[in-house]
């Protein structure tokens, strides 16, 4: 077992780690996604069991070439692995779920381990996969208690979030993000402040009450340089996360707190959709 795998698991009770990355439309290389996804399954020693096809899960083909073709040719290249191949969410004793939404330039990663998850390390592993497949602009990660907690990160509802996620995923916050993603009006904002975040260089220059976001971020956590001009912003603790969210929401930077008349919540004119990424 590699050092990275040792850091992912401890002797504590199990948990889920969910990572989400957003990039520039048109930059997702689906073949590179297939290669990177299969490599991550190999690295974590998690055999693929299910593959997503046409809005349903089917048994993953045993032949690697056939599995690669499904992931590389489907606009939603989704792959699951775990200890229960008969389940539609096989996370009984360990599992991995990856999906690519190439049309909207989103990559989603879910991991369940029978031990405590190092969320920061998990995000860095996923960031390497994401950067191999598309031009990443933004990402965030959080822990959850159930597989369904992944849906809130995607901007969808599936029941109620786990107790510890209620503050992050109120109905308004999830709806705001879903609407902004759909209209591509989210590009000059953050979704919210999570315990782990990935920001690009341009974001760190954003104005927050007369200071740059980089300075504010370092008040509440640490910034670690990653690949391709990206930075991992790790919050010290939940109190720091809440305090940082308060500062950034007052500066209008968090979609989760936007009022209905905020730019992120207004449908753009048809000719404005798909325009170049706005800058602050």
């Amino acid at each position: 077992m590699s050092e990275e795998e040792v850091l992912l698991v401890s002797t504590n009770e199990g948990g889920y780690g969910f990572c989400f990355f957003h990039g520039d439309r048109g930059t997702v290389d689906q073949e590179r996604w297939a290669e990177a996804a299969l490599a991550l399954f190999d690295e974590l020693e998690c055999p693929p069991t299910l593959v997503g096809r046409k809005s349903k899960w089917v048994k993953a083909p045993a032949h690697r070439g056939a599995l690669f073709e499904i992931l590389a040719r489907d606009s939603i290249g989704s792959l699951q692995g775990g200890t229960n191949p008969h389940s539609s969410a096989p996370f009984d004793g360990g599992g991995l779920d990856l999906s690519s939404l190439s049309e909207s330039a989103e990559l989603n990663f879910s991991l369940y381990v029978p031990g405590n998850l190092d969320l920061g390390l998990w995000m860095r592993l996923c960031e390497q996969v994401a950067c191999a497949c598309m031009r990443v602009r933004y990402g965030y990660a959080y822990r959850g208690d159930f597989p369904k907690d992944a849906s809130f990160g995607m901007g969808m509802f599936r029941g109620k979030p786990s107790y510890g996620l209620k503050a992050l995923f109120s109905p308004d916050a999830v709806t705001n993000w879903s609407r902004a993603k759909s209209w591509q009006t989210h590009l000059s904002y953050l979704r919210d402040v999570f315990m782990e975040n990935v920001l690009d260089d341009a974001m760190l220059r954003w104005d927050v009450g007369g200071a740059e976001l980089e300075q504010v971020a370092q008040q509440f956590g640490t910034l670690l340089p990653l690949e391709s001009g990206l930075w991992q912003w790790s919050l010290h603790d939940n109190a720091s996360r809440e305090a940082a969210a308060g500062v950034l929401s007052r500066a209008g930077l968090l979609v989760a707190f936007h009022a209905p008349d905020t730019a992120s919540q207004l449908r753009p004119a048809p000719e404005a959709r798909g325009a170049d990424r706005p800058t602050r």
Side-chain angles (χ1 to χ4, degrees), residues 61-169:
H63 190 273
R64 192 179 184 89
L67 183 56
F68 175 89
E69 283 298 310
I70 294 174
L71 292 174
R73 307 302 169 215
D74 196 318
S75 62
I76 303 180
S78 299
L79 190 62
Q80 281 192 1
T83 57
N84 183 0
H86 304 293
S87 170
S88 60
F91 291 118
D92 315 42
L96 184 62
D97 181 355
L98 313 182
S99 67
S100 160
L101 305 176
S102 59
E103 293 181 357
S104 57
E106 296 177 45
L107 301 177
N108 306 322
F109 301 77
S110 302
L111 175 69
Y112 174 76
V113 292
N116 190 43
L117 180 68
D118 185 325
L119 188 65
L121 174 57
W122 174 231
M123 185 161 214
R124 290 193 291 278
L125 291 177
C126 295
E127 183 266 348
Q128 293 172 14
V129 174
C131 284
C133 311
M134 72 175 182
R135 184 175 180 181
V136 175
R137 294 292 192 173
Y138 173 51
Y140 48 90
Y142 58 91
R143 292 184 180 87
D145 296 331
F146 305 101
K148 70 174 184 178
D149 287 328
S151 64
F152 304 102
M154 298 179 199
M156 302 183 297
F157 290 100
R158 188 171 297 170
K160 295 181 179 180
S162 295
Y163 179 79
L165 296 176
K166 289 183 178 180
L168 276 171
F169 298 127

Side-chain angles (χ1 to χ4, degrees), residues 216-247:
V216 176
Q218 291 174 324
Q219 293 177 21
F220 301 103
T222 58
L223 284 171
L224 176 71
L226 301 173
E227 297 180 4
S228 306
L230 298 173
W231 297 80
Q232 182 174 4
W233 180 25
S234 302
L235 280 295
H236 293 314
D237 49 37
N238 193 56
S240 298
R241 187 201 69 76
E242 291 178 349
V247 173

Side-chain angles (χ1 to χ4, degrees), residues 5-13 113-118:
E5 290 175 271
V6 171
L7 289 172
L8 279 172
V9 183
S10 79
T11 57
N12 296 328
E13 62 183 55
V113 292
N116 190 43
L117 180 68
D118 185 325

